Structures are given as structure tokens and as C-alpha cells.
Amino acid sequence: MSEKEDKVKTSKKTTPKKTAAKGQSKTKSRSSTTTKKKPRSSTARKKRSRGNIIAALVILCVLLLGFNLVLVLKLVPNLKNSLKSEPVQAQTPVEKEIPSTEQKRNEPLTAAQEPSPPVTVSQVAAQTQPHTDSAVQQKRQNTPAAQQKIASSQEKAPAAKTTTPAAQPTPHSPAAVPASRTASAAQKGTAQKEKPAVHPAPQKNTVPEKSVASDKKNTASKKNSVPEKPAVPDKKKTVQKVQPVQPAAKPEKPRKPAPYAGNLTFVFDDAGHNLDQLEYFLRLPFPCTIAVLPGLRYSSESARRIRKAGKQVILHQPMQSVDLHINPGPGAVTPGLSAEQIKNIVRKNLEEIWPVAGMNNHEGSLMTADEAAMSAVLDVVAEKHIFFLDSRTTARSVVAKVAKEKNMAVWERAIFIDNDKSRAAMETQIKKGLSIARQKGSAIMIGHVFTVELAELLTEMYPALIEDGFSLSAIAQVAQKGTVNFGN
């Protein structure tokens, strides 16, 4: 039993070895087949790629052939037309030479001595050629540019046109052949003279060659008939469309100038605080007066810019108001000062922004009612030869009374424009000033440079003011002494 068991064990041991060997052999065989299949697959791929390349080349060749055939089919009619035109062009110089040679031969002969020779094809062509040439020339001469050039050439050679005979003999008579030859030669001579002068511009609607050939056939069949009338140019083609001229607009009747309504003077106070706000008033399209406060940061610069803009500069002299809590600013005339102190203050302020045309009061409802203070101020005004404008901040002002005692002229404000800064309120105030100007002949209206809307409003109103008969100016420096003025 033990031997049998050993055999069974040995057999069991050998079986896995055999199976392993069989598996290895199978894998080897598979790998060998794969290795053998690889070269087959690469060769197949190469063959396929070669086939694809060849197919692509064949397709390209077919496309190229097709493209060449299309080109040939398109070019064949053009070649035929060029071949047809070449013999026509070659015939013209030969036919032109034939009449000239025949004319030289026939010069010593006369119609009575020479027998009637038989009519040849060349003679027929010589007779018919001028008609064909004239028909083609007439068609080419239908264009406006060619007609102008032909007219100039005809003016240069009038003698050639007058050589045509009045009566032509019959073509079968003995004298008809030389006469026709001479006539054709004369026509060709004139045509040759005219041709160099005529250079028609290239046009799209040229005469086709087929029509020229058909004209030759028709002229050959109608050689004994009366020559055709010259072709009338087509008015539809040659005449350009003339656009209807629109009638010019009737000029408007000049508006009658309005009668003179009065003079307006606009004064703008409180310059010296801000230069940006000042620029709006410097750009106004009419002359005006701008009053500059002394002792401020931009006082001297404001005065310089106002003069540069062509406007009038005056001193806006600060004076104490009735309300003592209000500070009129630096360089003010206040109560308790002596006459000499007031004069020195005013002189200093004038020097800061000099030169100026005059001055007016800033605030000053208290000081303009003081005769002593205003007497000192007016003394400086007379000393500097400038004017004084009373802003009329109070109804109790004594400026006019003191000026009359000193035999001086002063000006007074008529309207304050921008106490209410709304547009509607400013418009109503300006209209009040216009009515005052109509009544008294002039009006001074005062605004302020910090009201930018006022500058915009006056710029808009300016054309209407001029149309209504108003004039605008700065304050006049000269007036009748001892008078109170409301403007120029």
C-alpha cells in the first residue's frame, strides 16, 4: 500500500509541473504569434498608407484636369474673338494702300482715254471701305468726349471736308471708276488725317466686333445704293441726367432796427474772494463794471484779470452798516475816524488795485448818511479824478447833497438784481431796470459775482436786449458837474 501511495503522490507532484509547463508553452506560443503578427500589421499599415496617398494624388490630378478644362473652355471664345479681329485689322492697312497705288497709276490717264476696266473685288472693297469706316467712326463718335475731339480736328482741317463732289456719276460709266477711286482716296485721306487727332477714351459700351462684320456685309450688298445717313446718337445714353435745380431760398427781409430804448449799465460787486466765480462775468459778451474789495487774497489779481478782459474796474470801498454787528471787511470807513484818517484809508485801498475808474460803497448804510465822512471820501475822489457810484444801501444817503455842494457829478444805483437769487426774481428785477431806462434814458443795475446764474441769464438775454433797442456800456467817467446820474 505504501508503494501505491508513493506513486499517487509522485503523480500528483508531477501534474502541477506539467500543467505549469503547458501554461508556459501556451504563453510562449501566444507571444510568438503576437510577435509574428506585428510585422504583418505594420506592413498592412504601410500598404494602406501608400494606397491612401495614391488615391489622394489621383484625386488631385483629377481636380487639376477639371480646373484646366474649365479654363480652356473660358479662354476658347476669347481666342476665337481675337482671331476674328486680327484679319479685320490686317485688312484695313492693305485696303488703305490699294487706292493710293491705283491713284498714282491713273494720274496721267483721263476718263476719255482710258477704257472702262472691269470692276475687281479690291475695288469693291475700296468703295465699300469708307462707308464701313465712317459707320464705325460714327458709332465711336457718339460719346461726348469723342465728339468734342472730332470738332477740334474738323476745325483744323476744313479744306478736306469741302473736297467732296456735289454730284456723283453712276458706278458703271467710264468716268465713274476713277471718280470713285479719287473720292474714296480723298475720304480716306481725310479719315487718316482725322484719326490721329481723335483718341476716344476707353468705354465699357464699345462697338462689338460682330456688329462691325455685319455692317461690312450690308455695305457690300448695298454698294450701288445711297450711303446711309449718319447714326444719330442715342440721347438716352449720351445725355446725362440733369438734376432739377432747387430754387434758392428767398432772403429774409432785414428786420427794421428798433428805436433807441436807453442805456444799461451792469455793475457786479464783491470781487476779490474767488477767481473761479469771477471768470463767468469776465466772459460776458458786453461791457460792464466790476467792483473789487480791498485787502483780500485775490484783490489785486482780480483787478488785473478784469482789466485784461476789457472790463471796467472800480474800488468797492467797505463802509460801516447801520447794523454794527456786521463787519464790512478790511480797509473800511467806520464811525469815529477823522477826515484825514478816512482819506488815508481810501488812498491806500485805491493804490492796492490801481488803476481804477471810480469807486462805490460796500454796505455803508450808516456812513453814507454821515455828511462829514462822505465829504472826506469825495475829496479823495476829486483828487484822483475818478467817479463815485452811490449804491443806495439806505434811503437817507447824503452823497448827492454833498456832491452838489462840491459841484461834483455822482451816479446812483437804480436796481439790485440778485437780492433774491432765483431766476424768475432776477428776470423781474432786470425788467424793472429796463422800464427805468426807457423812462430816464439809462439805468444802473447792481449784482454780485458770487451769483453765477446771473451771468448765465444775462448772456441769454443779451441778443434780445440789443434787438429791443438797448445799448450796454460801463459807467462813464465824465458827466456834467453837480448832477446825479443813473447811467451814461
Side-chain angles (χ1 to χ4, degrees), residues 44-67:
R45 287 175 184 172
K46 288 179 181 180
K47 286 179 180 180
R48 287 176 185 173
S49 63
R50 286 175 185 173
N52 292 331
I53 292 166
I54 291 165
L57 291 172
V58 170
I59 291 166
L60 285 173
C61 291
V62 170
L63 291 173
L64 288 171
L65 287 172
F67 182 69

Side-chain angles (χ1 to χ4, degrees), residues 299-377:
S299 297
S300 59
E301 179 62 19
S302 297
R304 188 188 68 80
R305 292 192 183 189
I306 294 164
R307 282 189 291 268
K308 186 178 179 181
K311 312 297 183 184
Q312 189 181 57
V313 184
I314 63 173
L315 172 66
H316 197 37
Q317 176 60 50
M319 296 183 183
Q320 184 61 52
S321 172
V322 175
D323 188 355
L324 298 177
H325 296 92
I326 296 174
N327 182 12
V333 175
T334 56
L337 296 176
S338 64
E340 195 63 31
Q341 288 175 333
I342 294 171
K343 290 179 183 179
N344 290 333
I345 291 170
V346 174
R347 289 190 188 106
K348 183 180 177 182
N349 293 338
L350 288 171
E351 288 174 2
E352 183 181 1
I353 61 170
W354 192 261
V356 297
M359 75 167 70
N360 69 336
N361 56 289
H362 171 62
E363 301 291 345
S365 57
L366 178 62
M367 300 307 298
T368 54
D370 187 346
E371 292 186 9
M374 293 312 301
S375 178
V377 171

Side-chain angles (χ1 to χ4, degrees), residues 228-277:
E228 295 178 356
K229 293 181 180 180
V232 179
D234 191 359
K235 293 181 180 180
K236 293 181 180 179
K237 293 182 181 178
T238 56
V239 178
Q240 296 180 355
K241 292 182 179 180
V242 180
Q243 294 181 354
V245 179
Q246 295 180 355
K250 293 182 180 179
E252 294 181 359
K253 293 181 179 179
R255 186 178 175 182
K256 292 181 180 179
Y260 181 70
N263 184 75
L264 304 176
T265 300
F266 290 96
V267 180
F268 306 105
D269 289 347
D270 295 346
H273 289 286
N274 191 308
L275 294 175
D276 294 335
Q277 293 173 347

Side-chain angles (χ1 to χ4, degrees), residues 164-216:
T164 56
Q168 294 181 357
T170 58
H172 297 288
S173 64
V177 175
S180 63
R181 289 176 185 174
T182 54
S184 63
Q187 289 177 358
K188 286 184 179 181
T190 54
Q192 287 176 1
K193 288 179 181 179
E194 291 176 358
K195 280 180 182 178
V198 178
H199 299 284
Q203 297 180 355
K204 294 182 180 179
N205 297 326
T206 56
V207 179
E209 295 175 357
K210 292 182 181 180
S211 63
V212 176
S214 63
D215 291 337
K216 286 185 178 180

Side-chain angles (χ1 to χ4, degrees), residues 69-325:
L69 286 172
V70 171
L71 288 176
V72 169
L73 290 172
K74 287 184 178 179
L75 292 172
V76 164
N78 295 329
L79 290 171
K80 288 181 180 178
N81 293 329
S82 63
L83 290 171
K84 286 181 181 179
S85 62
E86 284 178 0
V88 173
Q89 293 175 357
Q91 286 176 5
T92 54
V94 174
E95 290 173 354
K96 287 177 184 177
E97 290 175 359
I98 289 167
S100 62
T101 55
E102 288 179 355
Q103 188 176 1
K104 289 179 182 179
R105 290 175 185 176
N106 295 326
E107 280 178 359
L109 298 176
T110 61
Q113 294 174 357
E114 187 180 4
S116 59
V119 180
T120 60
V121 177
S122 61
Q123 291 174 358
V124 173
Q127 291 175 2
T128 58
Q129 186 65 26
H131 299 292
T132 57
D133 293 339
S134 62
V136 174
Q137 287 178 1
Q138 287 170 1
K139 289 182 180 180
R140 288 180 180 175
Q141 291 170 4
N142 289 336
T143 59
Q147 287 176 0
Q148 292 177 0
K149 292 181 180 179
I150 288 167
S152 63
S153 65
Q154 286 176 355
E155 290 176 359
K156 292 180 181 178
K161 291 183 179 180
T162 58
T163 56
T164 56
Q168 294 181 357
T170 58
H172 297 288
S173 64
V177 175
S180 63
R181 289 176 185 174
T182 54
S184 63
Q187 289 177 358
K188 286 184 179 181
T190 54
Q192 287 176 1
K193 288 179 181 179
E194 291 176 358
K195 280 180 182 178
V198 178
H199 299 284
Q203 297 180 355
K204 294 182 180 179
N205 297 326
T206 56
V207 179
E209 295 175 357
K210 292 182 181 180
S211 63
V212 176
S214 63
D215 291 337
K216 286 185 178 180
K217 291 178 182 178
N218 294 329
T219 53
S221 62
K222 298 178 182 179
K223 60 184 178 179
N224 296 327
S225 63
V226 181
E228 295 178 356
K229 293 181 180 180
V232 179
D234 191 359
K235 293 181 180 180
K236 293 181 180 179
K237 293 182 181 178
T238 56
V239 178
Q240 296 180 355
K241 292 182 179 180
V242 180
Q243 294 181 354
V245 179
Q246 295 180 355
K250 293 182 180 179
E252 294 181 359
K253 293 181 179 179
R255 186 178 175 182
K256 292 181 180 179
Y260 181 70
N263 184 75
L264 304 176
T265 300
F266 290 96
V267 180
F268 306 105
D269 289 347
D270 295 346
H273 289 286
N274 191 308
L275 294 175
D276 294 335
Q277 293 173 347
L278 178 64
E279 288 297 323
Y280 288 92
F281 294 88
L282 297 181
R283 290 196 292 266
L284 286 172
F286 53 84
C288 61
T289 302
I290 301 177
V292 181
L293 288 166
L296 300 179
R297 181 179 179 182
Y298 299 111
S299 297
S300 59
E301 179 62 19
S302 297
R304 188 188 68 80
R305 292 192 183 189
I306 294 164
R307 282 189 291 268
K308 186 178 179 181
K311 312 297 183 184
Q312 189 181 57
V313 184
I314 63 173
L315 172 66
H316 197 37
Q317 176 60 50
M319 296 183 183
Q320 184 61 52
S321 172
V322 175
D323 188 355
L324 298 177
H325 296 92

